[in-house]
Amino acid sequence: MKTHAIGIDIGGTRTKIGLVNLASGRVEAMHITPTETRDGGRFLALIGEAIRLFTDRAAAEETEVAGVGIGVPGFVFAGGVVDSTYGFLDFMEDYPLADLITRQHGLPCRLDNDARVVALGEALYGQGRGVSRVLVLTLGTGLGLGFTIDGRLDGSLPFAHMGGHLTVVSSDAVCYCGKTGCLESLVSSAGIQRIASRRAWAATYPTVPPTAETIFSQQLAGNDDARAIIDEYVGYLKTGIDNYINLYAPDLVVLGGGIAKGLQHLTDQLHTPSLLNPYKAYKTRVAVSELGEQAGILGGAALFTEQT
């Protein structure tokens, strides 16, 4: 097996690109570029700069690169054609991204849904290492879902890429998917802001923006209003986790993404008797990712491991 691969994680504002040692699971070099959302040519040029940088480095070190693995926020067909990113990347509609990368750089390119790629990284190199059934929830601007069994993705296509759109309350803001009360709309960063708005955070603390980072920080500092917001948020998250446990029966649920680090001190709450009480034979643990923003890079590169 070739020892290295390039992993790319396309994010909401930044695209992270790394050269990964597949044997050690170490990101040996990393490059971050703004995510170009409108111009396909510029998008390819920006990530192409990093790909060339890493292939040149590998050649100088006489290291073989297996290929380029990319996590994309949307559904990806077999062969690496992106169905749609729901308006996030204007140019990615029936977009042959894998073929474009291969033609530009002469390397194999594999694509998958970004949340599944993060899950693969966690299963092989993170909290899920050595665990059979691993469910990863990526909490950030949305809610992504990925599931692995014995270090492999649960199927060749990301059919559960809309798995964050479970209805968990009967009334709330209308989600972009058209439904009301979606888990994604409740546990994303926008969900925290809506909870804060309902609880009149802006009127009480006009100089403190109700971002997820700020609310978690205020909660740690002992702010009772922030604690009430986080308690409501965790209640929604627990409901979602309980539903996913009943669907997937995971041994481990890993919470990743930008919001996850704020939940590090709250995992005990997620382990307490839950709202839906999943089947008693399921002994699921909940953990917070330790890979952070490298999970998507590692997972992208891991699309070229022998296990997948």
Side-chain angles (χ1 to χ4, degrees):
M1 181 180 74
K2 294 182 179 180
T3 58
H4 288 66
I6 294 170
I8 301 179
D9 180 15
I10 302 173
T13 58
R14 304 181 304 157
T15 292
K16 298 174 285 291
I17 307 154
L19 180 65
V20 175
N21 184 316
L22 294 173
S24 67
R26 189 165 68 91
V27 179
E28 295 187 346
M30 185 171 169
H31 177 80
I32 298 175
T33 184
T35 299
E36 173 56 49
T37 62
R38 296 183 180 276
D39 186 329
R42 178 166 168 75
F43 172 84
L44 290 173
L46 287 171
I47 65 172
E49 291 175 9
I51 292 172
R52 283 188 293 272
L53 178 68
F54 294 149
T55 54
D56 288 348
R57 169 177 169 155
E61 296 175 353
E62 298 183 348
T63 298
E64 291 187 286
V65 175
V68 179
I70 306 177
V72 180
F75 188 87
V76 180
F77 292 109
V81 174
V82 180
D83 172 37
S84 171
T85 61
Y86 309 101
F88 168 59
L89 297 166
D90 289 346
F91 53 90
M92 279 202 190
E93 300 286 333
D94 297 318
Y95 189 72
L97 179 56
D99 184 57
L100 291 170
I101 295 293
T102 295
R103 279 192 280 159
Q104 283 193 1
H105 300 280
L107 287 170
C109 182
R110 297 178 182 173
L111 271 58
D112 210 310
N113 171 261
D114 56 349
R116 295 217 318 161
V117 165
V118 167
L120 187 60
E122 290 288 351
L124 294 177
Y125 304 117
Q127 292 277 25
R129 196 168 189 171
V131 180
S132 178
R133 300 173 66 84
V134 181
L135 177 69
V136 179
L137 303 180
T138 305
L139 302 164
T141 55
L143 168 62
L145 180 151
F147 185 56
T148 64
I149 302 173
D150 298 330
R152 300 186 181 197
L153 294 170
D154 65 329
S156 59
L157 293 173
F159 289 120
H161 74 291
M162 295 292 282
H165 297 271
L166 299 175
T167 298
V168 295
V169 297
S170 60
S171 61
D172 194 68
V174 177
C175 180
Y176 70 86
C177 75
K179 294 170 60 179
T180 299
C182 281
L183 181 64
E184 175 166 317
S185 68
L186 295 166
V187 300
S188 62
S189 54
I192 290 179
Q193 292 175 335
R194 279 199 298 275
I195 297 170
S197 177
R198 286 200 303 270
R199 291 177 176 271
W201 179 271
T204 308
Y205 308 98
T207 62
V208 183
T211 64
E213 182 178 5
T214 299
I215 298 296
F216 278 114
S217 176
Q218 289 287 313
Q219 190 240 13
L220 278 174
N223 184 307
D224 288 340
D225 294 319
R227 188 185 68 233
I229 292 168
I230 297 304
D231 284 348
E232 182 177 343
Y233 173 88
V234 169
Y236 297 136
L237 183 58
K238 285 174 63 174
T239 301
I241 290 173
D242 287 338
N243 275 285
Y244 291 134
I245 290 172
N246 286 334
L247 287 167
Y248 290 97
D251 300 308
L252 176 68
V253 174
V254 180
L255 304 178
I259 293 177
K261 60 184 178 181
L263 296 167
Q264 184 70 58
H265 64 293
L266 297 174
T267 51
D268 285 347
Q269 285 182 245
L270 296 169
H271 283 292
T272 56
S274 53
L275 299 176
L276 298 182
N277 294 316
Y279 178 53
K280 63 183 180 181
Y282 299 155
K283 306 299 181 183
T284 306
R285 295 185 296 111
V286 178
V288 172
S289 171
E290 295 177 345
L291 296 178
E293 63 181 12
Q294 292 192 353
I297 293 173
L298 289 165
L303 293 172
F304 287 92
T305 61
E306 291 181 338
Q307 294 100 313
T308 58

